Amino acid sequence: MDEEEVRRRLLQLFKAKVCFRPRSGYWELRPISAVATGTPGLVHSSTTPLLDAAPLLEDLHSRTEQAVLLHTYSPITGERLCIGAAGAHDERLRRELATVPRAVDRLRRAPLDSDAPGLVMLANLAGHDVPLREDLRQIRSTQVALTKAPLPGWFLVSVPVRRLPGAPATPGAEPRVVASVSILAPIHAHGDPLVAYGRLMRNAVQTAIESSVVISQPRFATVQAA
């Protein structure tokens, strides 16, 4: 069995939540548990491929011990959509979400200007010549957004993703923001979330993208004259 086949099968086990990656290059089986491993209704049904984003979410969850969400956006409806999550099986989170069903709906799908996951994308989607309101200018400058979450007593801190890990990269092209990664944590979580999580997420996203880079072939090749 070659290396690519091993990787493919491990990713299948990972997506089925049979194993996880505690760190790059290592795989471990998950302990058997009777507790459900997800929060029903949190992830929007989407045709957007996660590619190598799932290991990124699991890595951030293992390092922060908080729920991690991946949102993309719909240019048609102007909404942000949750297409991936890690750590949503946390008992406290599941218990509190069960008491506020509307919060699950809002975490899954909401207008871009509702909270941090959408705002961090919105601030970067606008052209540099487009006037921005003050909060969006600040977010664009720091590349981090922090707001209250739809779930009372929790916050969201988000960073933009300019290319999903594993997606093709075109040399010389400036990538547009395609998604955001967010930490969902209780408000009393220790430390300043912008300091505690912002830099960690930015670095993790950049590392994941660079380590899974796929260079796409130019659409038209230059033909050298004979």
Side-chain angles (χ1 to χ4, degrees):
M1 187 182 298
D2 61 24
E3 184 177 343
E4 187 60 31
E5 179 64 11
V6 171
R7 174 179 168 78
R8 186 183 69 81
R9 294 193 181 187
L10 283 171
L11 286 175
Q12 288 177 337
L13 294 173
F14 181 90
K15 290 175 182 178
K17 299 186 182 299
V18 174
C19 69
F20 69 105
R21 296 181 67 183
R23 58 187 183 277
S24 179
Y26 291 83
W27 300 80
E28 293 183 12
L29 292 174
R30 287 185 179 278
I32 297 174
S33 170
V35 179
T37 57
T39 299
L42 182 61
V43 176
H44 189 274
S45 57
S46 171
T47 58
T48 302
L50 291 182
L51 301 171
D52 291 339
L56 167 64
L57 303 184
E58 287 289 349
D59 176 59
L60 283 170
H61 167 57
S62 68
R63 294 166 70 179
T64 64
E65 299 184 346
Q66 305 291 354
V68 184
L69 308 178
L70 175 68
H71 287 86
T72 187
Y73 67 93
S74 168
I76 298 175
T77 65
E79 295 175 309
R80 56 127 179 94
L81 307 170
C82 181
I83 60 171
H89 57 277
D90 176 78
E91 286 191 38
R92 177 185 174 183
L93 175 60
R94 287 171 56 83
R95 185 172 62 249
E96 296 197 20
L97 284 173
T99 65
V100 191
R102 185 173 179 273
V104 178
D105 296 336
R106 297 288 289 182
L107 284 168
R108 180 180 69 252
R109 180 176 183 173
L112 274 173
D113 59 358
S114 297
D115 48 31
L119 289 171
V120 80
M121 289 189 283
L122 191 60
N124 286 279
L125 286 170
H128 289 284
D129 57 342
V130 176
L132 294 176
R133 63 186 196 228
E134 180 56 32
D135 62 330
L136 293 179
R137 283 201 300 270
Q138 182 66 22
I139 291 170
R140 177 183 281 182
S141 174
T142 61
Q143 294 294 289
V144 183
L146 171 67
T147 65
K148 292 181 179 179
L151 181 63
W154 294 65
F155 68 82
L156 285 161
V157 57
S158 309
V159 299
V161 178
R162 295 190 178 275
R163 183 170 55 82
L164 289 177
T170 302
E174 181 179 358
R176 288 175 57 85
V177 166
V178 297
S180 64
V181 170
S182 306
I183 297 289
L184 173 63
I187 284 177
H188 62 40
H190 61 82
D192 182 343
L194 282 176
V195 175
Y197 298 133
R199 181 179 298 176
L200 170 66
M201 286 195 294
R202 286 199 307 265
N203 291 342
V205 167
Q206 187 62 32
T207 299
I209 291 173
E210 290 177 353
S211 63
S212 64
V213 66
V214 178
I215 304 299
S216 63
Q217 296 297 321
R219 195 169 181 180
F220 300 103
T222 303
V223 178
Q224 186 175 10

